[in-house]
Amino acid sequence: MRVIGIDVGGTNTDAALISDEGIVLAMVKTPTDHDDILCSVRTALEEIIASHKGPFPMELHLSTTLPTNAIVEGEGDPAAVVAIPGPGMNLLDYDFGFPVYSVKGYVDHRGRVASDIDPDEVLSAARQAWNDGARALAIVGKFSQRNNSLELAAKQVVEQAGLKFSQITLGHQLSGRHGFPRRIMTAYLNARVAGIQQEFAAVIERLMSENPIIAGVRILKADGGTMGLAESCVRPIETILSGPAASLTASLALSRRTEANTVVVDIGGTTTDIAVIAGGEPVCQRGGAVIGGFNTLVRALYTVSIGLGGDSEVRIHDSGVVLGPRRVGKAAALGGAEATPTDAAVALGLAELGQRDKAIAALKKKAAGAFASWESLAQAIIEAFVLRLCTAVDEVYRTLENVPVYTVSEILAPPDIRPRAVIGLGAPAGVFIPLAAEQLGLPWEILPYHAGANGIGAAAARPTVSLSVHVDTEQEQMIIPELGLRKQIKQALFDQKQARRAAVEHTLAYAQGLGLEECSEIQIVEEEAFNVVRGFHTVGRIFNIRAQMRPGARRVR
Amino acid sequence: MAKAKRSVGLIFFPAFDWCITPDHPEREERLLYTRDQIMEEGLLDIAGIYEYRPYVAEDKPIQRVHICVPSVARRVSEPHRIAVGGSMLAADLVLDNKVDCAFALLRPPGHHANRVVHGARGFCTVNNEAIMVEHMRRRLGPSIRVAIVDTDAHHADGTQDIFYNDPGILHISLHQDGRTLYPGTGFVTERGGPAAYGNTINVPLPPGTGDEGILYVMENLVMPILEEWKPDYIINAAGQDNHYSDPLTNMNFSAGGYARLTEMLRPDIVVLEGGYSIEGALPYVNVGIILALAGLDCSSLREPDWKPDCLRQPQHVMPIVKNVVSEVRRQWETRHQVKREDVFGRGTNYVRDRSIFYDTDQIVEKQHERIKLCNDCSGWREIYSQAAGGRIGHTQVAIVTVPWLACRNCRREAVEAYERLQTLGRFDQVFYQDCERDEYLCAPDHHEPGAL
Ligand SMILES: [Zn+2]
Ligand SMILES: [Zn+2]
């Protein structure tokens, strides 16, 4: 099916139409109207549809910034959290910055209920939250990913009392990963923006009925994948930071390189973003996305932003040229006031942009007294840029290679993630990427369409689905928190193979339930197995398995 | 966002793929629930708590402490090298002022490993704290003063052995009375060698000692001694088998008690030792230690099965604890009045003969040790070590060690002894260990079969 990808960015809304064969049929760029983002979507969509001849049905992929903006700007429904922390770190020390009402009850690390909730206490906490102005609620328990029963019971108490919260988010639905404070923040934000996303979904549905040619809508996520519209109303928090993800997806879609390990360098005016592809897949952040100062459990792509770009400030020190992190404005060649890295490239004839004589004049002015000629300054700027970029790339890899690991084998034989090629995007990429790649000793590629690549990224994004499966055969339980599943299992029947199979089958069934037919390849991405030994006897086994649909992007030409 | 009041470097290495044997207390599962608890509490998201990946230690740092027979390569496996590297990294983080304090939360443990290593004893092969301390001394010089406070329920006999005659180290071990628990040593009469008399302090505690007793020892004995001795660095060998739920011991300590102990001690570096109540104790004790190091509130930390009775010591315990404390205090206060010859004799050497059992590897070692009584330094040392059993067959080695700040005479005598012992033909190998010159020799050198 043809796909329209729309990415509502800070400045522009990018849209692209891709054919079944992955050919870009149309691209549209319109300025983003921040007061009416829906209008921006509509405009882009209508322009694309207008350019699109024939009765082919289309799927719409949307990268929405509404929840992201709401979080950053402190908007959304007033929300509060009812937390079930049990003993541990003092909840006050987390300093959440939003109302958290703590109640009794405790689930331990094995998922055993050590003490129950007190319904009256839960109700009075929820009432208090309501009286304090909350209209959306999150209920989050420590270790609820191991046992959701306290969260479910608390929700029932609140609902039965007739408190009309517009949304009740339960912590365990959002992620199977550990991290009680992150779960609290994620659930809180989710509850806060759910209303916004639901409103947005309603408008999109209306848009679909107006344009019957749109056969389906998928929403972009922070991990570069997509999810259904209905799902996005349950877990709107997953839509955050989908813009940067769309940009990386675009590079996956457009790249011709066949190497499994690449580094993707997106050079903009002010900043350069570095992302890592290892084993053909983008590397994700260890903990989860950070947004507006909130640490969440949202699976998000790992990118490092450095203050270096085509419009970076150029300063001359005794030690040489220093670039950024400030942006001085547009290049002198385009009428700016000061010489920038872009001007150095234009003056040296490495790039064609604006008026070369203006770039040279600005460089002459800057070189005065410090450099013998504008040429030597321009050369020094280019070199400084390339050096800074290469150092940053190296640091990114060093950081990733030093991520703590917990097995001897991972220390002794760490996976090779080092890049085999550099993929460059962004206007200045053509100048700096080949030079940086040479210094790194790697082949390189500059992607086409870098001007509107996010629309292509949105269009090329594929669904992502991942589940955490926790099996504890001593307790005869299998738990999949994201599905709210707690299932009795027979210990004798459950070995590692069985656990693996269950993880794959559940992920497949879940994906198919979401209407994803093409989801053939389910892979196991994390796996742990432990013997549970008590009194010198093995009494059970614990398996922690994470399965996902193999992520990736459609190839685009 | 939570913020630490003191920054903490955490080297967490649970070695999820290493065990002594699958059913052994030292097995893959040991820190599984601790990992889950630390991650769930979100401790790694606290501003000021940083996690680091350990490195794999080379031979040299290990040779600064141990004589591994026949070689480091043969005795020390990769998991041990990672535990050693992690402990050394903890020290480096503190020495480089990258963090205010560090916690090497890792396994395998080390405090039962003696200077001479024929195999594993008490689940330990090499001594993480000792190697770390020697690494610190290599970096900062021999004048640094390091106090090791070992709060494992078992006597830290390995650490005691290594630093027994070392005037730069103060070694305090709190443990369940050796008459009731492995390794059966650690009595108040073990007070240090001729050059470091009084620097080894043993506090044997009766079974059943809980928060009240241990915190009493901390407040009335450990803290005043540290205040007086003024160490440059305090290291806590934080075994967690004092816990009321530990299957191998009979003590009554709680996670809250451990946190309080850490708050009092304010160690620069904490290294995990034993602790085998892997579900009921370790997750909570380790969270408590991390919170306490970070200066965060520990008052809501409690084991799920905690009841006030857990903490209650049997009635007879406290008088015994108080007795031990007053006896050890008296010893401490009068340590300079003790005449060396009254303890070590009038000869030119201090000699001790010991039999050492390696329970983990089923080896028996017979050791004859001779330390020169020297007025100018802590004295060079000669050890004859004969070991048999387990999978090592039978071996007999001689060892010569030269201490830090050795006098010229002692070094000359040691070098001569090293030469002479090689000519005797009695020994399979002769070792020479000179920390100050960082020189470690062995004749003949052990080569792995098939190696060049
Ligand atoms: Zn112990
Ligand atoms: Zn001497």
Side-chain angles (χ1 to χ4, degrees):
Chain A
M1 198 178 338
R2 295 189 170 187
V3 181
I4 303 178
I6 298 182
D7 174 60
V8 185
T11 324
N12 292 311
T13 296
D14 292 337
L17 174 64
I18 293 176
S19 75
D20 300 27
E21 297 80 30
I23 294 165
V24 180
L25 299 174
M27 282 176 70
V28 163
K29 188 188 273 297
T30 56
T32 299
D33 178 354
H34 284 278
D35 297 324
D36 193 351
I37 282 173
L38 273 166
C39 172
S40 307
V41 171
R42 191 188 295 267
T43 311
L45 185 66
E46 278 163 3
E47 275 193 44
I48 284 276
I49 291 177
S51 72
H52 163 68
K53 311 273 186 296
F56 309 105
M58 299 188 291
E59 189 172 76
L60 175 60
H61 286 186
L62 259 176
S63 153
T64 155
T65 51
L66 286 170
T68 308
N69 292 348
I71 289 168
V72 174
E73 283 154 27
E75 285 162 6
D77 286 333
V81 178
V82 171
I84 313 168
M89 186 165 156
N90 187 341
L91 212 52
L92 294 174
D93 276 345
Y94 290 120
D95 209 4
F96 286 114
F98 48 81
V100 176
Y101 305 86
S102 161
V103 299
K104 281 198 291 282
Y106 189 54
V107 171
D108 79 358
H109 46 73
R110 288 283 291 278
R112 292 169 295 218
V113 175
S115 70
D116 236 314
I117 54 162
D118 169 0
D120 294 338
E121 192 193 13
V122 170
L123 187 56
S124 76
R127 280 227 170 87
Q128 188 65 47
W130 179 274
N131 293 339
D132 292 347
R135 291 299 172 263
L137 193 68
I139 301 172
V140 187
K142 193 175 281 177
F143 283 116
S144 65
Q145 76 279 28
R146 289 282 161 85
N147 185 339
N148 58 13
S149 64
L150 299 190
E151 283 183 1
L152 291 172
K155 182 182 182 189
Q156 204 177 12
V157 168
V158 175
E159 281 178 344
Q160 279 175 355
L163 288 171
K164 294 268 178 287
F165 288 103
S166 62
Q167 159 78 20
I168 299 180
T169 296
L170 300 184
H172 73 270
Q173 299 170 324
L174 300 175
S175 169
R177 291 183 185 273
H178 296 317
F180 180 55
R182 278 185 187 254
R183 196 173 313 117
I184 287 180
M185 290 194 227
T186 313
Y188 162 76
L189 293 175
N190 195 69
R192 205 173 95 185
V193 300
I196 291 176
Q197 184 66 16
Q198 282 155 12
E199 229 172 87
F200 178 73
V203 176
I204 295 298
E205 270 165 5
R206 213 162 52 231
L207 208 66
M208 281 173 70
S209 59
E210 288 165 16
N211 297 284
I213 202 163
I214 301 173
V217 176
R218 300 201 61 81
I219 305 295
L220 262 81
K221 300 198 293 183
D223 66 357
T226 67
M227 62 178 167
L229 197 57
E231 216 189 333
S232 80
C233 294
V234 180
R235 287 196 280 263
I237 190 65
E238 294 210 30
T239 68
I240 58 168
L241 307 175
S242 56
S247 144
L248 188 63
T249 308
S251 49
L252 276 174
L254 292 167
S255 174
R256 295 282 154 277
R257 305 294 321 181
T258 52
E259 291 89 350
N261 290 0
T262 54
V263 58
V264 180
V265 181
D266 184 350
I267 307 178
T270 320
T271 59
T272 293
D273 296 331
I274 301 168
V276 173
I277 313 284
E281 287 171 32
V283 170
C284 282
Q285 277 181 29
R286 194 180 178 218
V290 180
I291 180 166
F294 295 104
N295 287 326
T296 73
L297 283 171
V298 175
R299 209 173 127 85
L301 301 179
Y302 175 81
T303 52
V304 172
S305 220
I306 57 168
L308 179 73
D311 304 336
S312 286
E313 182 187 28
V314 175
R315 280 168 301 145
I316 298 173
H317 277 251
D318 306 339
S319 49
V321 169
V322 178
L323 303 176
R326 241 162 42 93
R327 174 180 187 265
V328 285
K330 55 187 168 185
L334 294 172
E338 268 194 65
T340 65
T342 300
D343 289 314
V346 169
L348 292 172
L350 300 170
E352 268 179 53
L353 187 76
Q355 291 168 277
R356 181 165 176 249
D357 52 338
K358 282 195 178 161
I360 294 174
L363 284 163
K364 270 187 185 154
K365 200 169 121 199
K366 189 132 246 171
F371 280 83
S373 64
W374 67 262
E375 285 97 338
S376 55
L377 172 60
Q379 203 56 51
I381 291 173
I382 302 280
E383 278 164 19
F385 196 106
V386 170
L387 182 66
R388 177 86 199 284
L389 187 54
C390 291
T391 311
V393 167
D394 196 52
E395 249 167 57
V396 163
Y397 280 91
R398 247 189 274 182
T399 305
L400 288 175
E401 283 165 349
N402 277 306
V403 164
V405 293
Y406 298 149
T407 60
V408 175
S409 58
E410 282 170 289
I411 296 239
L412 298 180
D416 177 15
I417 57 165
R418 284 274 163 177
R420 301 288 182 269
V422 185
I423 296 172
L425 307 80
V431 174
F432 297 108
I433 291 298
L435 296 170
E438 190 187 354
Q439 196 153 109
L440 294 166
L442 296 173
W444 53 270
E445 178 188 23
I446 309 287
L447 293 185
Y449 303 119
H450 49 238
N454 280 12
I456 294 175
R462 285 218 168 107
T464 45
V465 167
S466 81
L467 293 181
S468 341
V469 179
H470 174 73
V471 176
D472 188 327
T473 70
E474 190 201 10
Q475 302 195 57
E476 304 198 316
Q477 284 213 330
M478 174 165 72
I479 293 151
I480 304 179
E482 296 92 335
L483 302 180
L485 179 116
R486 265 175 77 212
K487 197 173 146 189
Q488 188 85 15
I489 54 160
K490 283 269 171 292
Q491 165 158 24
L493 297 178
F494 236 89
D495 59 7
Q496 193 164 354
K497 225 193 235 162
Q498 186 90 15
R500 233 179 259 167
R501 193 181 312 144
V504 170
E505 278 168 8
H506 277 281
T507 310
L508 195 63
Y510 179 52
Q512 282 165 348
L514 294 171
L516 308 171
E517 293 103 22
E518 45 171 335
C519 53
S520 49
E521 203 183 338
I522 306 290
Q523 53 181 190
I524 286 170
V525 282
E526 287 168 30
E527 189 170 22
E528 292 178 342
F530 294 93
N531 287 334
V532 179
V533 178
R534 295 296 174 267
F536 294 94
H537 294 288
T538 302
V539 296
R541 302 203 75 197
I542 288 178
F543 305 109
N544 292 316
I545 296 174
R546 171 172 285 275
Q548 67 174 23
M549 246 169 75
R550 192 181 159 82
R554 267 176 77 179
R555 287 276 173 177
V556 171
R557 281 170 283 164
Chain B
M1 266 280 281
K3 265 196 195 71
K5 296 194 176 70
R6 294 170 82 206
S7 63
V8 183
L10 179 66
I11 299 104
F12 180 51
F13 187 68
F16 281 152
D17 53 353
W18 178 80
C19 65
I20 289 180
T21 57
D23 299 344
H24 195 279
E26 271 303 340
R27 63 178 179 275
E28 297 89 340
E29 187 194 3
R30 187 174 165 224
L31 292 175
L32 170 62
Y33 314 107
T34 297
R35 189 269 313 262
D36 289 350
Q37 196 75 35
I38 288 173
M39 298 301 167
E40 180 65 2
E41 295 285 349
L43 300 186
L44 298 178
D45 277 334
I46 295 173
I49 296 183
Y50 311 101
E51 193 186 5
Y52 295 86
R53 179 186 195 148
Y55 58 80
V56 185
E58 315 239 313
D59 288 4
K60 197 132 195 192
I62 297 168
Q63 289 173 313
R64 288 183 185 128
V65 168
H66 293 293
I67 306 296
C68 294
V69 183
S71 65
V72 175
R74 179 60 81 84
R75 286 292 148 250
V76 187
S77 68
E78 301 298 332
H80 291 100
R81 288 176 190 266
I82 297 168
V84 167
S87 307
M88 288 163 62
L89 176 61
D92 285 333
L93 293 171
V94 171
L95 263 47
D96 294 336
N97 289 314
K98 285 189 178 150
V99 292
D100 296 326
C101 52
F103 185 7
L105 177 43
L106 40 74
R107 51 186 288 270
H111 76 154
H112 294 304
N114 289 341
R115 179 177 301 275
V116 181
V117 175
H118 290 284
R121 55 189 303 273
F123 317 163
C124 305
T125 299
V126 284
N127 195 307
N128 299 329
E129 291 91 72
I131 297 169
M132 175 176 86
V133 166
E134 215 48 74
H135 173 67
M136 293 166 77
R137 195 143 51 174
R138 175 101 327 250
R139 287 192 53 181
L140 299 178
S143 62
I144 60 158
R145 294 159 71 80
V146 180
I148 302 171
V149 180
D150 190 301
T151 49
D152 191 280
H154 299 94
H155 174 227
D157 55 346
T159 317
Q160 171 170 315
D161 172 68
I162 292 163
F163 296 121
Y164 203 59
N165 197 40
D166 194 323
I169 311 296
L170 180 71
H171 182 241
I172 306 175
S173 179
L174 273 59
H175 46 261
Q176 183 176 326
D177 193 324
R179 287 169 298 191
T180 61
L181 189 66
Y182 178 90
T185 50
F187 300 103
V188 295
T189 47
E190 299 157 36
R191 299 175 63 187
Y197 192 67
N199 278 16
T200 292
I201 295 166
N202 281 302
V203 190
L205 298 167
T209 306
D211 290 11
E212 189 192 350
I214 290 178
L215 296 176
Y216 179 87
V217 174
M218 290 301 297
E219 203 171 323
N220 295 285
L221 186 70
V222 177
M223 297 319 292
I225 288 176
L226 290 174
E227 213 153 286
E228 191 187 328
W229 198 72
K230 294 193 186 4
D232 299 311
Y233 294 96
I234 296 175
I235 290 158
N236 179 205
Q240 303 172 3
D241 36 17
N242 286 314
H243 195 265
Y244 62 77
S245 63
D246 196 272
L248 306 185
T249 68
N250 318 94
M251 303 292 266
N252 246 341
F253 211 28
S254 75
Y258 266 104
R260 184 74 199 100
L261 179 151
T262 310
E263 285 171 348
M264 283 167 84
L265 188 61
R266 285 179 68 97
D268 298 287
I269 304 159
V270 179
V271 182
L272 175 69
E273 279 300 333
Y276 301 96
S277 170
I278 61 175
E279 281 202 68
L282 267 60
Y284 310 101
V285 173
N286 283 307
V287 166
I289 291 175
I290 295 169
L291 289 178
L293 286 176
L296 292 166
D297 178 28
C298 302
S299 61
S300 350
L301 183 76
R302 205 170 296 129
E303 299 85 343
D305 64 349
W306 182 89
K307 287 174 196 70
D309 320 349
C310 303
L311 289 179
R312 210 157 290 146
Q313 305 177 134
Q315 281 221 320
H316 67 276
V317 164
M318 213 47 205
I320 304 177
V321 171
K322 287 186 176 171
N323 261 338
V324 173
V325 166
S326 72
E327 169 59 13
V328 177
R329 263 204 94 134
R330 188 194 59 75
Q331 289 188 354
W332 170 255
E333 280 154 10
T334 58
R335 69 194 185 282
H336 296 305
Q337 292 149 30
V338 176
K339 289 208 180 75
R340 203 166 65 172
E341 52 265 39
D342 290 350
V343 184
F344 301 101
R346 287 183 183 280
T348 50
N349 294 297
Y350 161 55
V351 177
R352 60 176 178 168
D353 287 284
R354 291 187 295 166
S355 175
I356 297 155
F357 181 53
Y358 293 64
D359 58 317
T360 305
D361 280 350
Q362 297 292 311
I363 295 166
V364 178
E365 179 192 0
K366 294 230 181 304
Q367 210 184 81
H368 173 79
E369 183 181 23
R370 195 168 58 82
I371 299 175
K372 169 85 179 280
L373 294 174
C374 175
N375 289 322
D376 300 318
C377 74
S378 57
W380 73 280
R381 162 184 3 213
E382 193 174 55
I383 303 170
Y384 301 157
S385 165
Q386 214 184 99
R391 283 178 297 179
I392 64 164
H394 181 276
T395 180
Q396 186 167 13
V397 300
I399 295 145
V400 171
T401 76
V402 182
W404 280 96
L405 301 172
C407 73
R408 207 183 299 176
N409 247 342
C410 279
R411 175 166 281 117
R412 184 175 46 76
E413 285 178 29
V415 171
E416 283 168 9
Y418 177 58
E419 300 298 331
R420 187 186 68 245
L421 287 165
Q422 291 174 51
T423 63
L424 293 182
R426 259 174 64 196
F427 300 105
D428 299 325
Q429 283 172 295
V430 182
F431 293 86
Y432 176 83
Q433 183 188 50
D434 185 337
C435 281
E436 194 166 347
R437 299 210 170 149
D438 213 16
E439 201 175 4
Y440 312 96
L441 307 173
C442 172
D445 223 341
H446 178 79
H447 291 295
E448 290 301 317
L452 287 174

